[in-house]
Amino acid sequence: MRYSEMFLPTGREIPSDAEVVSHQLMIRAGMIRKLASGIYSYLPTGYRVIRKVEQIVREEMNRAGAEEVLLPLVQPAELWQESGRWVHYGKELLRFRDRHDREYCLGPTHEEVITDLVRHEIKTYRQLPKNLYQIQTKFRDEIRPRFGVMRCREFGMKDAYSFDTDEEGAGITYGKMFNAYNRIFRRCGLRFSAVEADTGNIGGSFSHEFMVIAASGEDSLVFCNVCDYAANIERAEIARPLQEKIDEKNLLPLEEVYTPGVRTIEDVSSFLQVNPQDVVKTLVFNADGQPITVLVRGNGDINPIKLKNYLGCDLLELATDEMIYQATGSTRGFAGAVGIKTEIIADYSLLELAMGNFVMGANREDYHIKNVNMGRDFEVKAFADLRLVKETDHCPRCESTLKFARGIEVGHIFKLGAKYSKAMRATYLDKNGQEQYMVMGCYGIGIGRTVAACIEQNHDEDGMIWPMPLAPHHVIITPVNINDKSQLIAAEDLYQSLRGKGVEVILDDRDGRAGIKFKDADLIGIPLRVTIGPKRLAEGKVEIRTRKSGDVETLPLKEATDFIIKCINKEMSCYA
Ligand code: ATP
Ligand code: MG
């Protein structure tokens, strides 16, 4: 392409609403423009990178035996009512009515549509397994769109759905997708990890997220320092401690103490001069309209996702003042297990180190109780892993220490089991003529988010540094002065020669200062830049600069094409 003909509006100014580097650079390098909150247009350079990611995804999905389809964006409410998600999906689902007053939504994901398609076409085990994917626009009415295309409302996703006869087959398909995802993200030049994850709105029994490690990531991850355990903090397990009982003779009598206005764990522990781990936090939650009391040691926090999964409820929030008053007869900040009028469940931390004689709220405004003991003073219905993992915890598999990192979720694969096939009656006849539910899996990749994540990992103060497989163009040729005939002719020759060999090349034919052209080339992140200047050209030579290393190679113009092709192939093969 000739730069002068391209639609490539670059800029030096950092947009005020762009908090992360990828968002800033995508705007500055003319890749995207915002149309409305969370809704973006891709300009030619941005769209070229998008298509490169899509192509890698396509090749690897096809290699893994999946077939491409294209499903509608607009979906009828009936299908979502059948699966139950019309009610459960929440406000991210954008709903509307057509002129006949029929209800529809914009697809945030396509489990319903694909299950409907497959249930009508697949009748027997002979037609299974099947794995179908699409690369298509999704709409999710995100509460807080931010970071440009990283968390937007309209975005491109590759989503695949698999149908197997049984769990074993579904496990094999899941493994194939796991491997395909590893290949995809490696080919995109990313440093990433697959971590165990919560299944959220999609559901199912088990899932892995593919996380690009980056400080700007919205997710917190834990990794074992020794074994290969890795998980999203939302899911990271904490092993049940060995249960020790406090010796009965050490139990002290209950003692109510006056603690005026002292509500938080920090305040209670400093007021009463006790360690936070000797205070028990009593939290009343509203789970689908029912109050439930949850206990955790004062030096830990409840993980609401673990709690919601444990309770199996749809709605979970901290109880209102009204609900707290009904359960405790007191105000927020003074709840305790002794005499509370709800069921009580407790985190495993209450079993650690023979916990006893602890402090908790007295269910009376401005009072706490000392020397509370489980069993003697109140009953716990069940103990469970409900706590958020922290730095001092140990690996649930091998008990080694853990390390933490931030990550950007670029892909997510799920074992769905029969969640959708049961709800929507997607069945097949097995070898014995018996009707069985199909066992499903689903597998998503955010295309735009992958591009943004790649920029988060590959940039410097001058701009983006594309790994060759995603680079919008491989080479930019920069004649220092296009008014110098010999420079222009040399540049034109090299341009035609590279184009003839299929190299994606820009000829910067703008009549402007070389410094500005170099700055743009760096900002856009083109991996190789050929500088054609008067001094070198007089010797028949050009300079080739590598964006990533800054290394400059000076070589005869006539060798430039072969050299460039070699560089491209060499870097491409690193990611293959
Ligand atoms: P998140 O936890 O980040 O909201 P999710 O768990 O809702 O993501 P999935 O339903 O697993 O996402 O969707 C599959 C993939 O689609 C994600 O791994 C991510 O790459 C991408 N994705 C999801 N939501 C968005 C969004 N709002 N903007 C851009 N990409 C998204
Ligand atoms: Mg997810």
Side-chain angles (χ1 to χ4, degrees):
M1 304 241 60
R2 289 169 200 283
Y3 203 124
S4 61
E5 292 169 2
M6 291 169 72
F7 182 46
L8 182 47
T10 57
R12 301 276 167 258
E13 221 153 276
I14 297 174
S16 60
D17 65 337
E19 298 163 62
V20 293
V21 150
S22 56
H23 186 191
Q24 295 167 1
L25 289 174
M26 287 179 92
I27 301 275
R28 287 186 50 210
M31 290 177 72
I32 55 166
R33 286 293 180 266
K34 180 158 121 181
L35 178 67
S37 169
I39 302 180
Y40 287 85
S41 304
Y42 281 100
L43 278 53
T45 314
Y47 193 45
R48 286 181 78 96
V49 183
I50 290 286
R51 287 211 313 269
K52 296 220 169 167
V53 174
E54 290 180 351
Q55 189 53 28
I56 291 172
V57 168
R58 237 179 221 116
E59 285 171 18
E60 294 302 333
M61 292 304 290
N62 294 347
R63 187 205 294 268
E67 266 190 300
E68 189 166 1
V69 294
L70 184 58
L71 306 170
L73 171 64
V74 173
Q75 307 182 5
E78 289 77 17
L79 287 182
W80 286 74
Q81 282 153 353
E82 243 188 279
S83 73
R85 288 205 291 185
W86 190 253
V87 178
H88 298 313
Y89 204 93
K91 287 191 172 170
E92 276 182 30
L93 188 66
L94 184 65
R95 304 151 209 249
F96 56 96
R97 285 169 193 273
D98 71 4
R99 63 169 70 197
H100 305 294
D101 216 27
R102 291 190 198 107
E103 286 189 293
Y104 290 87
C105 62
L106 288 184
T109 175
H110 279 71
E111 284 78 13
E112 282 78 1
V113 173
I114 196 90
T115 306
D116 180 60
L117 179 70
V118 166
R119 70 178 168 182
H120 286 117
E121 305 306 325
I122 297 217
K123 302 289 174 212
T124 90
Y125 71 95
R126 287 198 186 85
Q127 296 165 286
L128 293 170
K130 286 279 170 289
N131 190 353
L132 301 170
Y133 77 95
Q134 62 171 344
I135 297 178
Q136 202 238 27
T137 301
K138 299 283 184 267
F139 194 94
R140 294 182 180 181
D141 201 356
E142 296 275 354
I143 185 165
R144 217 181 135 212
R146 58 192 185 140
F147 304 159
V149 296
M150 198 113 86
R151 178 167 301 284
C152 45
R153 298 196 297 164
E154 181 176 318
F155 58 97
M157 195 201 285
K158 184 288 297 177
D159 45 328
Y161 305 88
S162 66
F163 299 84
D164 276 88
T165 52
D166 52 24
E167 282 295 341
E168 196 191 339
I172 293 170
T173 306
Y174 187 87
K176 283 186 189 165
M177 288 295 101
F178 188 90
N179 292 338
Y181 273 45
N182 276 300
R183 290 185 58 88
I184 288 168
F185 296 121
R186 193 164 66 234
R187 285 186 61 189
C188 288
L190 296 164
R191 295 182 296 286
F192 65 96
S193 274
V195 305
E196 293 182 13
D198 181 60
T199 56
N201 252 337
I202 308 283
S205 59
F206 190 73
S207 83
H208 279 102
E209 286 168 338
F210 285 76
M211 290 284 181
V212 167
I213 309 303
S216 56
E218 289 184 284
D219 287 274
S220 289
L221 317 175
V222 297
F223 297 89
C224 176
N225 275 314
V226 174
C227 75
D228 61 5
Y229 182 75
N232 191 312
I233 201 165
E234 291 177 351
R235 150 122 191 161
E237 295 161 36
I238 298 164
R240 184 181 178 127
L242 292 174
Q243 195 168 342
E244 298 166 55
K245 266 205 147 170
I246 183 169
D247 197 337
E248 297 259 327
K249 64 179 187 299
N250 293 335
L251 300 188
L252 301 172
L254 286 179
E255 184 189 330
E256 210 176 50
V257 282
Y258 181 53
T259 52
V262 176
R263 290 167 199 268
T264 65
I265 294 291
E266 294 82 72
D267 291 350
V268 171
S269 48
S270 71
F271 188 86
L272 296 177
Q273 296 289 302
V274 292
N275 289 321
Q277 66 260 35
D278 295 324
V279 182
V280 168
K281 236 185 260 183
T282 305
L283 297 159
V284 184
F285 282 91
N286 170 2
D288 289 340
Q290 291 301 314
I292 176 130
T293 298
V294 184
L295 308 181
V296 61
R297 241 174 139 128
N299 58 345
D301 289 305
I302 288 295
N303 175 341
I305 293 172
K306 280 185 182 174
L307 179 60
K308 185 163 181 260
N309 289 340
Y310 176 79
L311 296 172
C313 58
D314 289 319
L315 175 117
L316 180 78
E317 55 189 26
L318 280 171
T320 56
D321 289 343
E322 172 68 25
M323 212 179 224
I324 291 175
Y325 186 78
Q326 278 174 10
T328 68
S330 175
T331 57
R332 195 181 293 277
F334 299 99
V338 185
I340 204 161
K341 297 193 207 79
T342 81
E343 242 168 30
I344 299 171
I345 57 172
D347 174 62
Y348 284 158
S349 53
L350 268 78
L351 299 174
E352 278 167 27
L353 305 171
M355 186 168 196
N357 296 327
F358 46 82
V359 174
M360 62 182 0
N363 293 332
R364 179 178 170 203
E365 178 135 15
D366 290 339
Y367 283 88
H368 279 77
I369 321 183
K370 281 162 97 168
N371 306 327
V372 182
N373 284 285
M374 287 183 281
R376 185 190 70 180
D377 305 320
F378 66 91
E379 286 300 330
V380 172
K381 186 179 167 233
F383 291 91
D385 171 14
L386 302 173
R387 184 164 64 79
L388 209 54
V389 72
K390 57 184 184 205
E391 308 267 343
T392 48
D393 285 317
H394 291 268
C395 173
R397 302 274 186 278
C398 77
E399 297 192 358
S400 303
T401 53
L402 296 172
K403 60 174 180 280
F404 287 67
R406 308 286 298 175
I408 301 167
E409 178 199 325
V410 286
H412 200 167
I413 61 177
F414 300 78
K415 282 187 183 173
L416 293 175
K419 171 172 173 178
Y420 295 91
S421 43
K422 255 189 195 151
M424 298 180 67
R425 294 206 58 78
T427 61
Y428 68 95
L429 295 179
D430 70 10
K431 283 191 179 124
N432 308 315
Q434 297 286 316
E435 201 177 10
Q436 306 283 359
Y437 291 115
M438 297 181 204
V439 182
M440 291 174 58
C442 74
Y443 319 92
I445 291 180
I447 304 291
R449 192 184 283 184
T450 299
V451 171
C454 184
I455 298 169
E456 290 293 326
Q457 274 189 344
N458 300 285
H459 68 269
D460 62 14
E461 59 284 359
D462 296 321
M464 307 189 265
I465 305 175
W466 288 109
M468 200 60 83
L470 298 197
H473 301 270
H474 302 135
V475 188
I476 183 162
I477 304 170
T478 312
V480 168
N481 175 7
I482 61 150
N483 299 312
D484 173 348
K485 262 260 164 56
S486 60
Q487 282 182 46
L488 194 59
I489 291 169
E492 186 74 38
D493 281 354
L494 181 59
Y495 176 62
Q496 295 303 348
S497 159
L498 287 170
R499 272 169 65 103
K501 296 256 161 77
V503 175
E504 295 168 54
V505 51
I506 301 177
L507 172 59
D508 194 346
D509 57 346
R510 291 177 297 169
D511 187 5
R513 290 221 318 273
I516 291 183
K517 296 195 205 179
F518 293 159
K519 272 205 151 40
D520 277 334
D522 281 353
L523 174 62
I524 306 160
I526 308 294
L528 297 169
R529 188 187 78 209
V530 185
T531 312
I532 301 187
K535 215 169 109 209
R536 296 272 184 243
L537 193 60
E539 307 162 9
K541 288 184 174 169
V542 296
E543 282 178 358
I544 300 178
R545 180 171 172 274
T546 305
R547 173 72 178 88
K548 192 189 278 174
S549 64
D551 293 346
V552 177
E553 194 80 27
T554 306
L555 75 174
L557 175 61
K558 56 182 189 312
E559 290 171 22
T561 302
D562 285 349
F563 179 85
I564 287 167
I565 290 172
K566 232 183 253 157
C567 286
I568 295 172
N569 290 342
K570 194 170 151 210
E571 202 193 320
M572 282 292 202
S573 66
C574 294
Y575 300 114

